[in-house]
Amino acid sequence: MLKVTVWNENRHEKKDPRVKEIYPDGIHGAIANALSTHDFDVRTATLDEEEHGLTDDVLNQTDVLVWWGHLAHDEVSDEIVSKVSEKVLNGMGLIVLHSGHFSKIFKKLMGTSCDLKWREAGEKERLWVVDPSHPIVDGIDSYIELQQEEMYGEHFDIPAPDELVFLSWFEGGEVFRSGCTYRRGNGKIFYFRPGHETYPTYHDENIQKVIANAVSWAAPTDHKRPVYGNAQPLEAIKNQEN
Amino acid sequence: MLKVTVWNENRHEKKDPRVKEIYPDGIHGAIANALSTHDFDVRTATLDEEEHGLTDDVLNQTDVLVWWGHLAHDEVSDEIVSKVSEKVLNGMGLIVLHSGHFSKIFKKLMGTSCDLKWREAGEKERLWVVDPSHPIVDGIDSYIELQQEEMYGEHFDIPAPDELVFLSWFEGGEVFRSGCTYRRGNGKIFYFRPGHETYPTYHDENIQKVIANAVSWAAPTDHKRPVYGNAQPLEAIKNQEN
Amino acid sequence: MLKVTVWNENRHEKKDPRVKEIYPDGIHGAIANALSTHDFDVRTATLDEEEHGLTDDVLNQTDVLVWWGHLAHDEVSDEIVSKVSEKVLNGMGLIVLHSGHFSKIFKKLMGTSCDLKWREAGEKERLWVVDPSHPIVDGIDSYIELQQEEMYGEHFDIPAPDELVFLSWFEGGEVFRSGCTYRRGNGKIFYFRPGHETYPTYHDENIQKVIANAVSWAAPTDHKRPVYGNAQPLEAIKNQEN
Amino acid sequence: MLKVTVWNENRHEKKDPRVKEIYPDGIHGAIANALSTHDFDVRTATLDEEEHGLTDDVLNQTDVLVWWGHLAHDEVSDEIVSKVSEKVLNGMGLIVLHSGHFSKIFKKLMGTSCDLKWREAGEKERLWVVDPSHPIVDGIDSYIELQQEEMYGEHFDIPAPDELVFLSWFEGGEVFRSGCTYRRGNGKIFYFRPGHETYPTYHDENIQKVIANAVSWAAPTDHKRPVYGNAQPLEAIKNQEN
């Protein structure tokens, strides 16, 4: 059974009664509850726990890590970021949600600023499926509509995605590459845009389905981390120097 | 259970005793036998059957189609090719093997000549995994070595693959993009190079594993073929002409 | 100097006074006039000319071909389509505009249905630059706005573009991959969405700039068509069969 | 005229008489001399200069930066790496050569370990062109052969390249993705494998041609760095919260 850890910075929930009302169990709780209805072994971890809840033991027990952060990206320790990055290169799946675009771990794995346009105006978002063959859109119609969301607009400063799965239309006139896959080392990464803390996005059945699909897709492959470094020849070399 | 049809032109086996000796059940038989050890519902179809064994009924019962052809690409009827192509756009997976690079169905879906360099000299091939995160290399080591194979060399006139999974090294000095994925409409395609009729390649355990992995990967997603054509607006349009 | 041929089916212009009014020299004339302000050697060709104006001589004198068609895709002869396709594989650039998505040549080179959603409602389109590093957006701002255009919406049934340059937002609620590059053989292809015959799109300075940039980008590389077929080994082969 | 800065760590040349003999003007000198025969304005910079020769003034005068490093990646200051990275996101082209795969700047922009297999055995390398349409292979034959080179072998731990231009065959049995393009922000990056310090690789006419082509290809596009951050709506929003 796939082992999933849902990580949340869990600060909005503590500070803002509106957020607490929408997500009484925290954003991590809402996502974990939704994932638990699938055949996953789900746990949660949050910023203010010891080692942000991401101890070696937890990371070693994690096949796919889901990441939500916003206010406190800088409080995530560089050491934990390095460990998570190393785990991804070793095959752990990583699902980065919404404002996680600015997390240390996403920026480190992308190598770009990951900057974008944004606006909080409770506007309509429509996420169009542009790759109907992808397992991440299994069971999803031609688009997902969210009545109120924060806008994220292009240009989104990311490397061109390996696969582009969703494109968003926003009422205020912008578009956005909302569902993007990347492969880094042995690991698979999915960035999924929606999920502002003041809207009930993670209670939306389609959004939950996409996240669950993404978790399955990002499952580690049974493949050892390749051997790097000095290598003996596999064939005789004629022109040898010495 | 995933329904797999293994299609083979099955001509070498009838003409050439060497091939018959290596593949007494035909190339399709060897592949089907290997796939049957997995949780797949496997059948075979061959060129000389009625409608090449690919009746509407068979195609409608096929989730993933495996394709091997060489001598008789031109004998495959355009009507069947159109049906198979349409099925792929509707979500059927397609695994194209070796000399299938020149099949009508592969050329139609690629849009290029699919030409390449080749040589029959029984030389060594080493297929290097270049995407260790991909489910197609699950359980595969850093490379697969085949003692005798036909050489296929670059330039391979295909569109740049959506994902490049294997690269081949050949004893005679060439390289080749040996494992390539493509998405077309709702369907997923994997081209896999090895498998010349005069070598026991499809009896190789690793080659069998890659084909089985590819079949799983190419399984149709639960996603309706998108609706195309004239569409009513989803939002009010101010600047309407009339 | 780069030799450019602008091909237009030129039927709307003959039938529809509105189109004739907007494009008195034809759509081909408008595009050719705009390109002529650059350092290109520009000519035009139209459907009703002998061999659709695309004789061997013209094709041999063409570095980049611009293609606009709509009503009469089926009247383009398969022989000419094969010749153009062959020229592209040999290095000729191809710029496919708007309703050319359904041209025989584009569908042949893509291998998919190239179908899409559409609506003629004179609505606003905003084309967002999603790849600011690309020479095709040289001199273009963060987006291009067109007050009235036909809508094309996702899902657009094309292979995932090699490079995605523009994304369109439409007033009626859809999005579209509006600027897509592809490489086929030695040739470079750019699909650019805007340009409905009843709107003055090709008089727009930014649209003209994009088309000119695309022509420059699609210029043939000095590289011979690779040699295909049987090849002698470049290195000694030990395991030779005989 | 395109302004090119060739950066070299220039340590082997100081320590190792063999290297000094092959590259009396340093590796940077050899590359700069070759580039100077083209229509480029070329300068050099080296590690031991003030600010590694990459002062703000030099960086502001650089359209494309060529990078060679090996022994002393760690001595490159993080501040300079940040500046170079920022310049790339703002449009400066970057050509990373050979052992530069392990430079701080390349690893930062890739987000992976950039590790690989290697062997110094003076073996033969053959670089096959796999994208004949690409301007980087302008004037290059179907392959480039180098009689003696260091081997770099897969798996190369990089993100899948945006474009794969060269694949290497090595005598000892390995393959390598040897010519890879990436886009990051407004900038274009080309990684090119050959160039071990103890071989006369940068005196090879074809290698020089590829580097010159890459410099031209990586030229900045006239496109402002996109505006990021909070954005006013371009269209009226009905569902506004307040």
Side-chain angles (χ1 to χ4, degrees):
Chain A
M1 194 152 65
L2 211 61
K3 283 168 278 186
V4 185
T5 301
V6 180
W7 190 90
N8 181 17
E9 104 190 353
N10 196 30
R11 287 283 174 84
H12 286 289
E13 293 90 332
K14 292 179 179 172
K15 289 180 177 185
D16 186 338
R18 278 187 313 166
V19 177
K20 186 71 188 168
E21 197 185 325
I22 300 171
Y23 295 114
D25 302 326
I27 286 174
H28 54 296
I31 294 170
N33 290 342
L35 290 176
S36 298
T37 66
H38 297 260
D39 205 22
F40 303 137
D41 178 5
V42 186
R43 72 170 86 197
T44 64
T46 54
L47 178 65
D48 294 331
E49 294 173 54
E50 190 82 25
E51 297 184 48
H52 313 323
L54 298 173
T55 58
D56 287 356
D57 190 54
V58 168
L59 285 175
N60 289 335
Q61 294 291 321
T62 300
D63 293 317
V64 179
L65 178 64
V66 179
W67 192 277
W68 198 101
H70 184 208
L71 295 173
H73 293 314
D74 285 349
E75 295 182 40
V76 178
S77 86
D78 289 342
E79 195 194 336
I80 297 293
V81 171
S82 288
K83 279 185 190 176
V84 171
S85 171
E86 200 55 34
K87 291 293 294 179
V88 169
L89 296 183
N90 276 279
M92 184 180 73
L94 179 68
I95 314 297
V96 176
L97 297 174
H98 190 62
S99 41
H101 75 92
F102 252 179
S103 62
K104 285 182 179 176
I105 182 64
F106 190 61
K107 291 199 289 186
K108 182 181 175 68
L109 288 162
M110 294 297 106
T112 53
S113 77
C114 299
D115 213 339
L116 45 76
K117 287 197 181 64
W118 60 272
R119 176 174 59 240
E120 294 186 61
E123 71 201 88
K124 193 188 286 184
E125 175 179 15
R126 189 176 289 112
L127 296 108
W128 289 92
V129 172
V130 293
D131 184 351
S133 76
H134 206 287
I136 286 180
V137 302
D138 192 277
I140 299 296
D141 220 324
S142 54
Y143 60 82
I144 299 172
E145 206 171 284
L146 298 169
Q147 292 313 309
Q148 291 206 320
E149 253 295 349
E150 183 182 13
M151 184 283 293
Y152 279 6
E154 295 284 346
H155 176 248
F156 185 16
D157 189 24
I158 46 171
D162 291 343
E163 298 163 314
L164 182 60
V165 182
F166 287 103
L167 283 183
S168 283
W169 176 97
F170 285 97
E171 201 180 348
E174 288 88 358
V175 296
F176 198 73
R177 289 169 289 173
S178 276
C180 299
T181 79
Y182 294 94
R183 290 157 186 270
R184 293 290 181 269
N186 281 26
K188 292 185 273 288
I189 301 169
F190 182 58
Y191 174 78
F192 191 44
R193 198 214 76 82
H196 193 56
E197 66 274 6
T198 61
Y199 307 115
T201 301
Y202 295 120
H203 298 308
D204 182 282
E205 199 182 316
N206 282 311
I207 298 298
Q208 292 176 355
K209 199 179 289 180
V210 169
I211 296 173
N213 289 342
V215 164
S216 295
W217 169 83
T221 294
D222 172 20
H223 196 282
K224 260 177 277 175
R225 182 78 169 142
V227 176
Y228 299 109
N230 191 238
Q232 291 304 306
L234 300 161
E235 306 289 332
I237 294 171
K238 281 169 288 184
N239 300 326
Q240 203 123 12
E241 280 178 300
N242 322 325
Chain B
M1 195 150 67
L2 210 61
K3 283 168 278 186
V4 185
T5 300
V6 180
W7 190 90
N8 181 17
E9 106 191 353
N10 195 31
R11 288 283 174 84
H12 287 289
E13 293 90 333
K14 292 179 178 172
K15 291 179 177 186
D16 186 338
R18 279 188 312 167
V19 178
K20 186 72 188 167
E21 197 186 325
I22 299 171
Y23 295 114
D25 302 327
I27 285 174
H28 53 296
I31 294 170
N33 290 341
L35 289 176
S36 297
T37 65
H38 296 259
D39 204 23
F40 303 138
D41 177 6
V42 185
R43 72 169 86 198
T44 64
T46 54
L47 179 64
D48 294 331
E49 294 173 55
E50 190 80 27
E51 298 184 49
H52 313 324
L54 298 173
T55 59
D56 288 355
D57 191 52
V58 168
L59 284 175
N60 290 333
Q61 295 291 320
T62 301
D63 293 317
V64 179
L65 179 65
V66 179
W67 193 277
W68 198 101
H70 184 208
L71 296 173
H73 294 314
D74 284 350
E75 295 182 41
V76 178
S77 86
D78 289 342
E79 196 194 337
I80 297 293
V81 172
S82 288
K83 277 185 191 176
V84 171
S85 171
E86 200 53 34
K87 290 294 294 180
V88 170
L89 296 184
N90 276 279
M92 184 181 72
L94 179 68
I95 315 297
V96 176
L97 296 174
H98 190 61
S99 41
H101 75 92
F102 252 178
S103 61
K104 285 182 180 177
I105 181 63
F106 190 61
K107 291 200 287 187
K108 182 183 174 68
L109 288 163
M110 296 295 106
T112 53
S113 76
C114 299
D115 213 339
L116 45 76
K117 288 196 182 62
W118 60 272
R119 176 173 60 238
E120 294 186 61
E123 70 201 88
K124 193 188 286 184
E125 175 179 15
R126 190 176 288 112
L127 296 108
W128 290 91
V129 172
V130 294
D131 185 352
S133 76
H134 205 286
I136 286 179
V137 302
D138 192 277
I140 299 297
D141 220 326
S142 54
Y143 60 81
I144 299 172
E145 205 171 283
L146 298 169
Q147 293 312 310
Q148 291 205 321
E149 253 297 347
E150 183 182 13
M151 184 282 293
Y152 279 5
E154 295 284 346
H155 176 247
F156 186 16
D157 189 24
I158 46 170
D162 292 342
E163 298 163 316
L164 182 60
V165 182
F166 287 102
L167 283 183
S168 282
W169 176 97
F170 285 97
E171 201 179 348
E174 288 87 357
V175 295
F176 197 72
R177 287 170 289 172
S178 275
C180 300
T181 79
Y182 294 94
R183 291 158 184 271
R184 292 291 182 267
N186 282 24
K188 292 184 275 286
I189 302 168
F190 182 58
Y191 174 78
F192 191 45
R193 198 214 76 83
H196 194 56
E197 65 275 5
T198 61
Y199 307 116
T201 301
Y202 296 120
H203 297 308
D204 182 281
E205 200 182 315
N206 282 311
I207 298 297
Q208 291 176 355
K209 199 178 289 181
V210 169
I211 296 173
N213 288 343
V215 164
S216 295
W217 169 83
T221 294
D222 171 20
H223 196 282
K224 261 179 276 174
R225 181 80 168 139
V227 175
Y228 299 108
N230 192 238
Q232 290 305 305
L234 300 161
E235 306 289 332
I237 294 172
K238 279 169 289 183
N239 300 326
Q240 203 122 13
E241 279 178 301
N242 324 325
Chain C
M1 195 151 65
L2 210 61
K3 284 169 277 186
V4 184
T5 301
V6 180
W7 190 90
N8 180 17
E9 105 190 354
N10 196 30
R11 288 282 174 83
H12 287 288
E13 292 89 333
K14 292 179 178 171
K15 290 180 177 187
D16 186 339
R18 278 187 313 167
V19 178
K20 187 72 189 167
E21 199 186 323
I22 299 171
Y23 295 114
D25 301 328
I27 286 173
H28 54 295
I31 294 170
N33 290 341
L35 290 175
S36 298
T37 65
H38 297 260
D39 205 22
F40 303 136
D41 178 5
V42 186
R43 73 169 86 197
T44 64
T46 54
L47 179 64
D48 293 331
E49 293 173 55
E50 191 81 29
E51 298 184 48
H52 314 323
L54 298 173
T55 59
D56 288 355
D57 191 53
V58 168
L59 285 175
N60 289 335
Q61 294 292 320
T62 301
D63 293 317
V64 180
L65 178 64
V66 179
W67 193 278
W68 198 102
H70 184 209
L71 296 173
H73 294 314
D74 285 349
E75 294 182 41
V76 178
S77 86
D78 289 341
E79 195 194 335
I80 297 292
V81 172
S82 288
K83 277 186 191 176
V84 171
S85 171
E86 200 54 36
K87 291 293 295 178
V88 170
L89 296 184
N90 276 278
M92 183 181 74
L94 179 68
I95 315 296
V96 176
L97 297 173
H98 190 61
S99 41
H101 74 92
F102 252 178
S103 61
K104 285 182 180 177
I105 181 64
F106 190 60
K107 290 199 288 186
K108 182 182 175 69
L109 288 163
M110 295 296 106
T112 53
S113 76
C114 299
D115 212 340
L116 46 76
K117 288 197 180 64
W118 60 271
R119 177 174 58 238
E120 294 186 61
E123 70 202 88
K124 192 188 287 185
E125 175 179 15
R126 191 176 287 113
L127 296 107
W128 290 91
V129 172
V130 293
D131 184 352
S133 76
H134 206 286
I136 286 180
V137 301
D138 193 277
I140 300 297
D141 220 323
S142 53
Y143 60 82
I144 299 172
E145 206 171 285
L146 298 169
Q147 292 312 309
Q148 291 206 319
E149 252 296 348
E150 183 182 12
M151 184 282 294
Y152 279 6
E154 296 284 346
H155 176 246
F156 185 16
D157 189 25
I158 45 171
D162 291 343
E163 298 163 314
L164 182 59
V165 182
F166 287 103
L167 283 183
S168 282
W169 176 98
F170 285 98
E171 201 180 348
E174 287 88 359
V175 295
F176 197 73
R177 288 170 289 172
S178 275
C180 300
T181 79
Y182 294 94
R183 290 157 187 271
R184 293 291 181 268
N186 282 24
K188 292 185 274 288
I189 301 168
F190 182 59
Y191 174 78
F192 191 44
R193 198 213 76 82
H196 194 56
E197 66 274 5
T198 61
Y199 307 115
T201 300
Y202 296 119
H203 297 309
D204 181 282
E205 199 182 315
N206 282 311
I207 298 297
Q208 291 175 355
K209 198 179 291 181
V210 169
I211 296 172
N213 287 342
V215 165
S216 296
W217 168 83
T221 294
D222 172 19
H223 196 282
K224 261 178 276 174
R225 182 79 169 140
V227 176
Y228 299 108
N230 191 237
Q232 291 305 305
L234 300 161
E235 305 289 331
I237 294 173
K238 280 169 289 184
N239 300 326
Q240 203 123 11
E241 280 179 300
N242 322 325
Chain D
M1 194 151 67
L2 210 61
K3 285 168 275 186
V4 185
T5 301
V6 180
W7 190 90
N8 180 16
E9 107 192 351
N10 196 31
R11 288 282 173 84
H12 287 289
E13 293 89 333
K14 291 180 178 171
K15 290 181 177 185
D16 185 339
R18 281 186 311 166
V19 178
K20 186 72 189 167
E21 197 185 325
I22 300 171
Y23 295 114
D25 301 327
I27 286 174
H28 54 295
I31 294 170
N33 290 342
L35 290 176
S36 296
T37 65
H38 296 260
D39 204 22
F40 303 138
D41 178 5
V42 186
R43 71 168 87 196
T44 63
T46 54
L47 179 64
D48 293 332
E49 294 172 56
E50 190 81 26
E51 299 184 45
H52 313 323
L54 298 174
T55 59
D56 287 355
D57 192 52
V58 168
L59 284 175
N60 290 334
Q61 293 292 320
T62 301
D63 293 317
V64 180
L65 178 64
V66 180
W67 193 278
W68 199 101
H70 183 210
L71 297 173
H73 293 314
D74 285 350
E75 294 182 41
V76 178
S77 86
D78 289 340
E79 196 193 335
I80 297 293
V81 171
S82 288
K83 277 186 191 175
V84 171
S85 170
E86 200 53 34
K87 290 294 294 179
V88 170
L89 296 184
N90 276 279
M92 184 181 73
L94 179 68
I95 315 297
V96 176
L97 296 174
H98 190 60
S99 40
H101 75 91
F102 252 178
S103 62
K104 285 182 181 177
I105 181 64
F106 190 60
K107 290 200 287 186
K108 182 183 174 69
L109 287 163
M110 295 296 107
T112 53
S113 76
C114 300
D115 212 340
L116 45 75
K117 287 196 182 63
W118 60 271
R119 176 174 59 239
E120 293 186 64
E123 70 201 89
K124 192 188 287 183
E125 175 178 15
R126 190 175 289 111
L127 296 108
W128 289 91
V129 171
V130 293
D131 184 352
S133 75
H134 206 287
I136 286 179
V137 302
D138 193 277
I140 300 297
D141 221 324
S142 54
Y143 60 82
I144 299 172
E145 206 170 284
L146 298 169
Q147 293 311 309
Q148 291 206 319
E149 251 298 346
E150 182 181 14
M151 183 283 292
Y152 279 4
E154 295 284 346
H155 177 247
F156 186 15
D157 189 25
I158 47 170
D162 291 343
E163 298 163 314
L164 182 60
V165 183
F166 288 102
L167 283 183
S168 283
W169 177 97
F170 285 97
E171 202 180 347
E174 288 87 358
V175 295
F176 198 72
R177 288 169 289 173
S178 275
C180 300
T181 79
Y182 293 94
R183 292 158 185 270
R184 293 290 181 267
N186 281 25
K188 292 184 274 286
I189 301 169
F190 182 59
Y191 174 78
F192 191 44
R193 198 213 76 83
H196 194 56
E197 65 274 7
T198 61
Y199 307 115
T201 301
Y202 296 120
H203 297 309
D204 182 281
E205 199 181 315
N206 282 311
I207 298 297
Q208 291 176 356
K209 198 179 290 181
V210 169
I211 296 172
N213 288 344
V215 164
S216 295
W217 168 84
T221 294
D222 172 20
H223 196 281
K224 260 178 278 174
R225 181 78 169 141
V227 175
Y228 299 109
N230 191 237
Q232 290 305 305
L234 300 161
E235 305 290 331
I237 294 172
K238 280 169 288 183
N239 300 327
Q240 202 121 14
E241 279 179 298
N242 323 327

